[in-house]
Amino acid sequence: MKCSALFAVPLILAIGACSEQPDIISEAQAKQPASAASAESPIVVELYQSQGCSSCPPANAAVNAVANQPGIIALSFAVTYWDRLGWKDVFADQSYTQRQYDYAHALRNPNVYTPQIVINGKTALTGIRRGELATALDKAKPIAGGPAVDIMPDAIRIGAGTGSANIWLVSYDPRIQNVAVRSGENGGRTLPHKNIVRSLVKLGEWSGTSIRVKRPAAVQKGLKNVILVQRKGAGPIITAKIF
């Protein structure tokens, strides 16, 4: 598998990401997580990847394979720092790159790398090895105990709870998006993306008391949305709700 040096990443991670062969698995082959994840108590899987990264397709395929499992909220964030290799990712946005840098700081990583999967804002893995994501999901505990979220036509209400957190609105495309990559490390390949993030907006901050925040207009038709109530500083996600 062709690979160039990862973006300012320690050598041990670079070796691990580059030495694995692509492991493309289908949704039918994906192991169901043993944890009792549900719409009310989901598991949030965030993938940070780029069409310009030759190591990303296996992790992308692994996340695609679990995206429709009950209780799994899969979000694919395209980062910008691989654009310099000759192909500009058509879905990349600097705000997604910043979110990954925030995770690097929170998880005490010296820098960012791709692919990277973050589960519930707590744990990170590359996702390129066979069964790696399935094992992580099997161990992950569904999100529970956070404030309730009520979706209204013009507002979003976050219920009472303890502590403080940021309120994020993530809009993503649930359809498969097949992108023909014409140059760069994946030049000549067509890469399928699912649940690709198209918008990331901070709606406000929550301090433990019930609040209402304005519900923004839809970014575009056909997108799904998820509210993430997340401890500040890219900490654990304490509530996640799709609408």
Side-chain angles (χ1 to χ4, degrees):
M1 180 171 68
K2 181 174 64 173
C3 183
S4 65
L6 294 184
F7 190 80
V9 67
L11 180 60
I12 188 170
L13 287 175
I15 292 173
C18 296
S19 62
E20 297 295 324
Q21 295 299 313
D23 180 24
I24 308 302
I25 58 176
S26 68
E27 184 177 328
Q29 294 172 316
K31 180 183 176 183
Q32 296 286 336
S35 55
S38 66
E40 292 73 28
S41 298
I43 294 174
V44 177
V45 177
E46 299 178 51
L47 171 64
Y48 292 87
Q49 51 78 31
S50 171
Q51 293 159 5
C53 163
S54 64
S55 298
C56 287
N60 187 56
V63 172
N64 287 354
V66 303
N68 288 338
Q69 289 185 8
I72 299 295
I73 300 176
L75 302 169
S76 181
F77 290 88
V79 297
T80 56
Y81 49 84
W82 282 122
D83 290 354
R84 60 189 173 83
L85 294 183
W87 175 260
K88 189 179 188 308
D89 192 302
V90 298
F91 300 121
D93 190 274
Q94 184 59 37
S95 65
Y96 312 156
T97 302
Q98 183 59 54
R99 182 170 174 82
Q100 192 189 20
Y101 268 101
D102 291 343
Y103 271 133
H105 180 75
L107 298 172
R108 297 180 180 177
N109 293 327
N111 217 305
V112 295
Y113 57 91
T114 56
Q116 183 183 39
I117 297 172
V118 180
I119 298 178
N120 290 345
K122 295 180 178 180
T123 59
L125 58 146
T126 63
I128 61 177
R129 298 176 180 85
R130 180 178 293 275
E132 186 181 4
L133 177 57
T135 299
L137 290 175
D138 202 43
K139 295 178 180 179
K141 293 183 179 180
I143 296 169
V149 174
D150 295 321
I151 308 299
M152 295 168 277
D154 60 350
I156 297 167
R157 187 181 73 84
I158 311 298
T162 58
S164 60
N166 292 321
I167 306 166
W168 295 98
L169 171 63
V170 185
S171 300
Y172 65 95
D173 194 334
R175 300 166 295 182
I176 293 287
Q177 299 286 319
N178 291 301
V179 178
V181 180
R182 296 185 176 86
S183 60
E185 289 192 349
N186 289 315
R189 301 184 65 175
T190 296
L191 303 180
H193 298 283
K194 183 174 177 61
N195 290 16
I196 194 77
V197 173
R198 304 310 309 273
S199 176
L200 173 67
V201 178
K202 182 180 176 181
L203 297 183
E205 298 182 358
W206 173 81
S207 59
T209 57
S210 180
I211 63 169
R212 288 165 56 112
V213 294
K214 183 179 179 180
R215 177 175 170 177
V219 176
Q220 67 183 64
K221 291 182 179 180
L223 299 186
K224 296 184 73 174
N225 304 285
V226 58
I227 291 293
L228 301 178
V229 182
Q230 184 171 19
R231 295 298 186 195
K232 294 181 178 180
I237 296 170
I238 59 174
T239 298
K241 184 169 184 176
I242 292 177
F243 66 100

